[in-house]
Amino acid sequence: MDELVDIITLQNLEQKMPQWDAASSNQLYALVDMGSNGIRFSISDLSPPRSRLLRCMYRERAAISLLDALSGPSLAFPDETIKLVSHTLARFRAIAVDDYGVPIEHMRVFATEAMRRAQNATTMLQAIRTASPGLSVYILAPEVETLFGAVGARSGFDNVKGLFLDLGGGSVQMTYLDTYAAKAGAQGDAFSPEVVAALAGQSLPFGAARLIKIFDSGDSHAQAAAISQLRGGLSAAFQTLCARFSSLATAAAQAQQITDGMEGEDRSGIDIYLCGGGFRGYGSMLMHKHPIQPYPIPLIGSFTVSGQLFGKTKDMLEANESFDGKIFGMSKRRRAQFPAIVAVVDALIAAVPHIRSVTFCSGGNREGALMMSLPPDIRDTNPMTGSQHIIETAPSDRGEQAASIQDVLDTLRSAFPPDIDLATTTTIFGLQLGSFYANQIWTRLGDDAVANASAALHSAVSCPDQPGLTHLARAVLGVTLCARWGACLAPIDEQLHKNLRALMKAADPNAPFWADYTGAVTGAMALLIRKCPKTQDALKRTIRFRSTAEHGKKLKIHLDILVGEEAARRVDLQTLVELFNSVKKQKHGGMKVIVTVNTSVDPSHL
């Protein structure tokens, strides 16, 4: 390639990609990913203190397959494709710069496998630069594509430990990322764990679009050779990663014991994170065939299945062939590529012993590029936590300290028996959802309970677009908030409520009970405190909880609600007890709550 072709490598990454500046007056960044199957464009806001959330302001996808456009023995783009791509990127540039005000130096275009293979890539690049003056266009080296893919997938989580694979149109990448070991200083490298993963990453030229061409050619020998090379390549890639990372080698050895029928740890196995359109298509098929129907959360990001369900490739292939209707999340093109996708999944299953879990990731190259522009201390921040937000910052007339999210959560925690380890429970506390939940307790006060219970369910399914919210976390958040409003549901919402609870119960049989209990406790708080508390003392003087637990065959909680004398005069105390009737009606396998209400001049002293 000539000098027009600018390639991003690990060595020049910091120089070529825009680096985030916390002091910048403009925090908007625009990225275009010229993938082999389509061209994706997004504008993101990296304003502090929410930079780590990579908040997307605008996104669009142009259905232009660069890999399909490559034609002839020279693998060249036809003139009409070059014209279409250059015009599309010029439109993206106008949206970013003219409509949203993104500085041109904050905009990058990067291309992957199709552009790496094209013999006339320089012609394409020249056309783009002519149509879009000042626009920076780069081709990613394979190791940088691996880096961006893995980090983009990781962007939706805090700590991760597992294999990362990205299936695009032209290639499939595999690497391993263990942020736990890196933070503990066990990585043993001077580079960041992300760069270490990229350096160790393996890339194979068997993307979904490229592989389906071989399958559709009718050449059985070429198809058999491709499958053999794919399986051998993924197996070799896995072994190479095991040799490079001791924690993966240990996990693989324990997993192999289970695969061989030998005694192994109950929770042994390899966790896998998948990104890229091909794998997301397989995830959509798994949702379509999931035991919980209809599957209650329509988002592919953070969708997790067991290795056993993931391995039912024959069932997925049969469903793709036999189902005539629309499968949610899958285009006609993706369904046409599905046999190739299944071939990659089968090769992955053959290469990795005892896959424990598989998580599908919404993040990709664009999110990875944004993450790598952030400094490590922000990149490593848990997106689900952070500083506790002040609810009311204005000082009171008496100089009392303002109430915070933490004060609300402390009051909620006091309703849980002290011998219950909340960190290990499937609750808003165990899943680190406390701040999200507390911020929504006193919202929508102008609507009725039915509307609010419904809104709680639906908002947890579709909003917020928050990294770190797994499908289980969304279910727990939605069902708990629904219970805060008494779970008064219209018939149209009952199926969603039922399926969200089924998703929770599959992960933890006690999760629905804790959601109902937490919601009822919150309802008691909200009944006595009619708007968001302004001060710590106002909260403490109004309501506190004491609880103990009987651990017999089934858990029995004795909850004492302590109500301030002044607050007690404003409410029928029996109503507080009745809030827990919904917990009793659910018949949680014998788990019970016994509620008593006491008044006190100042419950904060108890």
Side-chain angles (χ1 to χ4, degrees), residues 439-575:
N439 269 312
Q440 297 180 68
I441 292 174
W442 288 279
T443 60
R444 299 179 59 92
L445 294 175
D447 296 328
D448 63 29
V450 174
N452 288 341
S454 176
L457 290 180
H458 289 279
S459 65
V461 166
S462 58
C463 299
D465 185 11
Q466 164 69 40
L469 273 182
T470 64
H471 283 203
L472 175 61
R474 288 179 179 275
V476 168
L477 186 61
V479 172
T480 306
L481 275 171
C482 181
R484 173 263 181 269
W485 290 104
C488 305
L489 294 173
I492 195 171
D493 290 321
E494 289 178 352
Q495 184 66 54
L496 175 59
H497 188 244
K498 176 182 177 182
N499 287 5
L500 287 172
R501 294 174 72 89
L503 185 61
M504 295 163 58
K505 195 169 184 178
D508 179 356
N510 295 330
F513 167 78
W514 288 123
D516 292 341
Y517 179 72
T518 306
V521 170
T522 310
M525 287 177 57
L527 185 64
L528 292 169
I529 304 172
R530 291 296 184 167
K531 64 178 296 186
C532 203
K534 293 184 177 181
T535 66
Q536 288 182 352
D537 287 344
L539 182 63
K540 293 177 180 179
R541 287 196 305 266
T542 302
I543 187 170
R544 300 294 287 177
F545 302 98
R546 290 188 307 198
S547 62
T548 58
E550 290 184 31
H551 298 276
K553 290 184 178 181
K554 295 293 181 179
L555 178 68
K556 182 185 295 184
I557 294 178
H558 295 268
L559 176 65
D560 192 6
I561 303 177
L562 311 173
V563 181
E565 190 173 57
E566 181 179 345
R569 289 195 291 267
R570 302 195 300 265
V571 67
D572 180 359
L573 298 183
Q574 181 59 31
T575 306

Side-chain angles (χ1 to χ4, degrees), residues 5-26:
V5 179
D6 209 342
I7 300 177
I8 295 183
T9 66
L10 291 177
Q11 288 70 35
N12 66 17
L13 176 64
E14 186 172 342
Q15 174 189 350
K16 299 293 185 182
M17 295 300 294
Q19 295 301 298
W20 179 74
D21 180 5
S24 175
S25 60
N26 191 317

